[in-house]
Amino acid sequence: MIPLTDQELIRQKFAAELVGPVRIDYFTERESALEVPGRKPCAYCKPTREMLQELSGLSDLISLRVHMFEEAVEERGKSGIERIPGIVIRSTSTELSANGRSFKYYGMPGGTEFPAFLESIVDISRGEVLLSKESVRELKKLREEVLVRVFVTPTCGYCPQMMRLAYQLSLASPKVRTEVIEVNEFPDLGERYGVKAVPLTVIADKVAIPGAVPEPVLVEQVLKVAGAETSAPASEGGPTSAVTVEGPAPPQRGEQRPSGLIIP
């Protein structure tokens, strides 16, 4: 799955940069030659599993646990996994685990997302918060949990930036839960949230931020949705990559989507 030359480079990267152990929980379906009426097989589950197995074999600090979605009711409940393929990356260090730091990725992290996926593994291994001191200070104002969803595609050049930024919010604050969703693999979610271009960042199912935006903008919107005061300036959207989806044109800034989301 991962070319041998790339595997060697990743092995060297992990050897040099990983500090603490990382656990990857992968939720998939049991392979079967039989077709179940009314159920569509998971097209990306097998290649995603192969990729993660190869990746975990590149460092003794990475452990992989594979769960069958239908059978692992308790485990998927603890991890909050709702669909497959579903990936949860967490540190097994006492401090980070106690604070619930973990990253979720729905789909196969390929294409432009793969390097950012690797960097996020390193980030959580090191417990390294790369946000500015101002952003970390602002995030301490959060009193309630906030769910941040980032919709991406493997060909989007702007998506890795938002993926890693959203994950960094989770690393900086236990109040922020982050999910990155490869929208091509979950067209139902793309339709529900009206995703016409990526990245699209959805905060608490209330506000959608189009494009790759600077760190202060994302922090500002998270705080606003959570009802916390923020000193950040008014925000704008950022650059996006188009997603080929049939349907009505997306609403303009300030308008409300059918899903109830508001474009800030």
Side-chain angles (χ1 to χ4, degrees):
M1 181 61 63
I2 305 174
L4 293 178
T5 52
D6 291 346
Q7 286 190 32
E8 182 55 33
L9 291 174
I10 296 169
R11 181 180 288 107
Q12 293 174 13
K13 176 181 179 64
F14 285 164
E17 300 178 17
L18 294 183
V19 174
V22 175
R23 170 176 158 180
I24 300 177
D25 287 275
Y26 177 55
F27 294 81
T28 183
E29 65 181 8
R30 192 173 297 281
E31 294 182 34
S32 174
L34 300 176
E35 291 188 10
V36 179
R39 179 182 297 178
K40 187 177 181 181
C42 175
Y44 290 91
C45 281
K46 183 178 180 180
T48 302
R49 178 174 179 171
E50 292 174 354
M51 185 201 74
L52 292 175
Q53 287 173 331
E54 291 180 2
L55 204 58
S56 64
L58 300 178
S59 172
D60 292 338
L61 289 174
I62 300 177
S63 61
L64 173 66
R65 298 189 182 183
V66 178
H67 310 274
M68 299 303 133
F69 183 82
E70 295 293 339
E71 302 165 14
V73 177
E74 182 178 356
E75 189 61 40
R76 76 174 192 246
K78 290 179 181 178
S79 300
I81 288 292
E82 300 175 342
R83 53 189 63 87
I84 56 175
I87 303 169
V88 181
I89 309 172
R90 56 169 60 91
S91 169
T92 57
S93 68
T94 304
E95 180 182 354
L96 289 179
S97 296
N99 289 322
R101 265 53 163 213
S102 65
F103 306 152
K104 291 182 192 176
Y105 193 102
Y106 285 114
M108 182 174 178
T112 58
E113 297 307 309
F114 186 65
F117 185 77
L118 297 180
E119 294 296 344
S120 295
I121 290 176
V122 172
D123 289 346
I124 205 165
S125 169
R126 301 174 70 90
E128 192 169 29
V129 177
L130 303 176
L131 302 181
S132 67
K133 292 181 179 179
E134 175 65 23
S135 292
V136 173
R137 185 164 56 247
E138 290 283 292
L139 289 170
K140 289 182 179 179
K141 298 176 182 178
L142 291 172
R143 294 294 176 263
E144 303 292 334
E145 281 196 350
V146 180
L147 174 60
V148 177
R149 287 189 173 105
V150 183
F151 290 91
V152 301
T153 65
T155 57
C156 167
Y158 305 110
C159 292
Q161 172 187 334
M162 291 305 295
M163 168 184 167
R164 197 172 181 202
L165 177 54
Y167 281 159
Q168 275 289 315
L169 261 62
S170 290
L171 202 54
S173 172
K175 298 295 185 182
V176 181
R177 294 183 293 119
T178 300
E179 298 178 358
V180 176
I181 301 168
E182 206 285 83
V183 69
N184 289 330
E185 295 182 42
F186 302 96
D188 58 323
L189 292 180
E191 183 177 355
R192 181 192 307 176
Y193 288 97
V195 182
K196 305 297 181 183
V198 288
L200 181 72
T201 304
V202 178
I203 304 172
D205 282 358
K206 294 180 180 178
V207 168
I209 305 174
V213 297
E215 172 188 316
V217 173
L218 183 58
V219 172
E220 170 216 1
Q221 290 296 332
V222 167
L223 291 173
K224 281 186 175 181
V225 170
E229 293 184 3
T230 173
S231 57
S235 64
E236 294 288 340
T240 62
S241 296
V243 174
T244 305
V245 179
E246 295 183 0
Q252 299 300 311
R253 191 175 304 279
E255 293 184 6
Q256 188 169 6
R257 296 178 184 268
S259 60
L261 297 174
I262 297 174
I263 303 296

